[in-house]
C-alpha cells in the first residue's frame, strides 16, 4: 500500500499537495486493546516524529460502549485508527487502501469550526465509510481523544468483523500446522480402507447417517483442538466490551479451526478415494458385502473412512506442540500479544 499511496493521494487531492508516506510497525499488547489508549499512543508517536497525519491499522476488533468500532478520527491532531476486521474477509487489501485514502484526505481537507469543540474536517464521504454509521462521542471525556467515530452495526456488521478476524487468522495454516495429526489420520484411513468391516458399515449406512458421522467427527476434531491447544479465550474483565471481545475471539477461533478441519476432511476424502481406487478388488469387495463395487460404493466408502480418519487425526493432534496449534489458529500479532503477556507474567516476582 505504501508504494502507491503517495501517488494516489496526490492524484485525488484537488490542492496539488505532495504526500510523503512512512511506515512503522509496532505490536499492541493485550493490555492496550481499548481505543483511548491506542489513540494516545498514536498521538504521542505522531508528536515525537513530527508527522502531519497518522493512520494506524490494527487487527484488533475495537469496541466502545457496546459498539463495534471501525474508524476513530481526531481532526485536531490528524489521527486515525482503523480496525482491519471491520473491513470484512474479502478484498481486504483493496478495502484497506480505500479506507486509508479516505481517512488521509478527510484529515488533510479543509476544516470547519463548530460552535463547540475544536476545529474539525468534514465527515468522510468516500465509498467505504458510506456503509458505516458516523457517531459523535459528544463531550470528550478525560480519556477520549477522538471527535468522530464510525461503527459497523447490526448482524451484518457483526458478521463482517467476524469474517475479518477469521481472514486475519489465516485458517489455511491449520493444515500445515497439524502435520502429525494429518499423518495419524492418513494412517487410520489407509487401514480402515482395507478392513472388510468398514466396507460393510459403509454399505449399511444411509446418507443421513453418513452426514451425522461427518458432522460428529469434524465437531470432535474442532473441540479437541480448541481444548487441547487452550484456544478458548476467557476474559478476566467484567465490562461489556471485554465480554463482547471474548465472544468475537471465541467465535473467530471456532470458525477458523472449523474451516481448517473441513479442508483437512475434504483432503482426506480425496486421498482415501484415490487409495481405494488403487487397492480395492471388486470381486473381494462383492464377496464380503454382496454389493458390486461401483462409483457409488467408492464414494460412500471414502466418505465414511474420512470420518473415521478424522477421529484418528484428533488423537494424533495431541502430539502437536501448543505453539503449532496456536500458530494455525491465531494471527501473528495475536501470538505476539500472547508472548508479551507470558513475558509480563514471567517477570512478576513470585509470592
Amino acid at each position: 500500500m505504501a508504494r502507491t499511496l503517495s501517488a494516489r493521494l496526490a492524484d485525488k487531492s484537488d490542492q496539488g499537495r505532495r504526500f510523503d508516506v512512512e511506515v512503522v510497525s509496532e505490536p499492541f499488547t493485550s493490555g492496550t486493546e481499548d481505543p483511548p489508549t491506542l489513540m494516545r499512543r498514536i498521538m504521542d508517536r505522531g508528536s515525537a516524529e513530527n508527522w502531519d497525519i497518522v493512520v494506524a491499522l490494527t487487527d484488533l476488533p475495537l469496541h466502545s460502549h457496546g459498539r463495534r468500532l471501525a474508524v476513530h478520527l481526531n481532526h485536531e491532531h490528524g489521527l486515525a485508527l482503523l480496525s482491519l476486521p471491520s473491513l470484512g474477509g474479502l478484498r481486504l487489501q483493496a478495502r484497506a487502501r480505500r479506507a486509508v485514502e479516505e481517512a488521509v484526505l478527510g484529515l488533510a481537507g479543509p476544516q470547519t469550526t463548530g460552535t463547540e469543540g475544536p476545529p474539525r474536517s468534514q465527515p468522510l464521504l468516500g465509498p467505504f465509510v458510506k456503509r458505516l454509521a458516523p457517531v459523535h462521542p459528544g463531550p470528550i471525556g478525560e480519556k477520549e481523544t477522538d471527535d468522530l467515530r464510525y461503527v459497523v452495526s447490526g448482524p451484518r456488521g457483526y458478521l463482517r468483523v467476524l469474517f475479518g478476524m477469521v481472514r486475519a487468522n489465516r485458517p489455511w495454516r491449520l493444515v500445515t500446522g497439524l502435520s502429525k495429526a494429518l499423518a495419524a489420520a492418513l494412517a487410520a484411513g489407509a487401514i480402515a480402507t482395507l478392513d472388510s468391516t468398514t466396507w460393510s458399515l459403509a454399505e449399511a449406512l444411509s446418507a443421513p447417517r453418513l452426514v451425522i458421522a461427518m458432522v460428529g467427527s469434524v465437531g470432535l476434531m474442532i473441540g479437541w483442538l480448541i481444548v487441547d491447544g487452550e484456544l478458548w479465550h476467557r476474559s478476566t474483565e467484567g465490562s461489556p466490551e471485554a465480554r463482547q471481545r471474548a465472544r468475537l475471539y471465541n467465535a473467530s477461533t471456532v470458525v477458523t479451526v472449523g474451516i481448517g478441519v473441513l479442508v483437512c476432511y475434504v483432503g482426506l476424502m480425496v486421498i482415501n478415494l484415490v487409495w481405494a481406487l488403487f487397492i480395492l478388488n471388486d470381486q473381494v469387495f462383492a464377496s464380503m458385502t454382496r454389493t458390486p463395487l461401483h462409483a457409488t460404493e467408492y464414494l460412500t466408502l471414502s466418505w465414511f473412512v474420512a470420518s473415521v480418519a478424522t477421529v484418528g487425526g484428533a488423537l494424533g493432534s495431541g502430539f502437536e506442540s501448543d505453539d503449532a496449534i496456536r500458530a494455525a489458529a491465531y494471527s501473528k500479532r495475536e501470538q505476539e500479544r500472547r508472548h508479551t503477556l507470558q513475558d509480563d507474567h514471567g517477570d512478576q516476582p513470585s509470592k
Side-chain angles (χ1 to χ4, degrees):
M1 186 190 305
R3 287 194 296 267
T4 60
L5 187 59
S6 298
R8 292 176 63 91
L9 290 173
D11 292 339
K12 293 184 177 182
S13 177
D14 56 358
Q15 301 178 7
R17 293 181 175 179
R18 182 174 61 88
F19 295 85
D20 296 323
V21 179
E22 182 177 350
V23 180
V24 176
S25 178
E26 291 184 359
F28 289 136
T29 63
S30 297
T32 61
E33 287 183 344
D34 59 304
T37 304
L38 296 182
M39 290 293 286
R40 286 196 299 272
R41 285 189 59 177
I42 298 168
M43 183 183 300
D44 295 340
R45 185 61 185 268
S47 300
E49 300 290 345
N50 196 27
W51 291 329
D52 297 318
I53 296 174
V54 184
V55 180
L57 308 179
T58 176
D59 70 338
L60 294 172
L62 302 179
H63 300 86
S64 180
H65 306 291
R67 298 177 182 268
R68 290 176 289 275
L69 300 174
V71 182
H72 294 247
L73 296 174
N74 184 307
H75 295 88
E76 181 180 7
H77 298 280
L79 307 177
L81 173 62
L82 174 63
S83 175
L84 290 177
S86 65
L87 303 179
L90 300 176
R91 301 175 59 236
L92 178 61
Q93 294 184 359
R95 290 180 176 180
R97 182 179 63 249
R98 186 165 58 245
V100 170
E101 291 172 0
E102 294 174 16
V104 173
L105 294 175
L107 294 172
Q111 293 185 338
T112 60
T113 304
T115 57
E116 296 181 1
R120 64 182 62 180
S121 300
Q122 296 292 335
L124 306 183
L125 297 176
F128 168 70
V129 296
K130 282 182 178 179
R131 297 188 294 269
L132 306 177
V135 177
H136 295 270
I140 299 177
E142 181 179 351
K143 295 183 178 181
E144 303 291 347
T145 57
D146 50 356
D147 51 48
L148 182 61
R149 302 169 182 170
Y150 289 89
V151 301
V152 289
S153 57
R156 292 184 62 182
Y158 177 85
L159 291 176
R160 175 182 292 182
V161 175
L162 176 61
F163 289 133
M165 295 176 64
V166 173
R167 168 65 174 79
N169 285 341
R170 301 174 186 175
W172 54 87
R173 298 189 304 178
L174 187 63
V175 178
T176 58
L178 293 173
S179 57
K180 294 181 181 178
L182 286 176
L186 290 173
I191 296 174
T193 303
L194 301 177
D195 189 5
S196 59
T197 303
T198 305
W199 303 347
S200 301
L201 287 174
E203 287 301 311
L205 291 177
S206 60
R209 292 197 174 190
L210 287 172
V211 172
I212 293 174
M214 178 185 67
V215 173
S217 61
V218 169
L220 176 64
M221 184 71 162
I222 294 172
W224 176 256
L225 289 176
I226 292 175
V227 172
D228 185 63
E230 299 179 356
L231 304 181
W232 197 256
H233 181 77
R234 295 179 176 86
S235 176
T236 58
E237 305 175 16
S239 63
E241 289 81 6
R243 291 194 297 268
Q244 191 173 24
R245 186 169 59 243
R247 287 194 294 268
L248 269 174
Y249 273 136
N250 292 329
S252 65
T253 297
V254 172
V255 175
T256 300
V257 176
I259 292 174
V261 172
L262 284 175
V263 171
C264 293
Y265 187 94
V266 173
L268 288 173
M269 188 172 177
V270 173
I271 293 175
N272 291 331
L273 178 60
V274 174
W275 172 245
L277 289 171
F278 175 76
I279 202 68
L280 292 184
N281 182 276
D282 54 350
Q283 295 180 355
V284 176
F285 185 89
S287 65
M288 293 293 181
T289 63
R290 298 180 181 179
T291 303
L293 186 58
H294 298 309
T296 303
E297 283 68 34
Y298 278 113
L299 291 175
T300 302
L301 178 62
S302 302
W303 189 2
F304 178 65
V305 169
S307 300
V308 175
T310 300
V311 176
L315 299 177
S317 66
F319 299 102
E320 300 283 354
S321 66
D322 290 342
D323 291 338
I325 297 176
R326 288 173 179 170
Y330 285 85
S331 65
K332 182 178 180 181
R333 288 193 178 277
E334 182 62 21
Q335 294 179 58
E336 292 174 351
R337 290 191 288 270
R338 285 177 174 270
H339 291 320
T340 301
L341 284 178
Q342 292 174 359
D343 294 340
D344 292 342
H345 292 327
D347 294 338
Q348 294 179 357
S350 58
K351 296 182 181 181

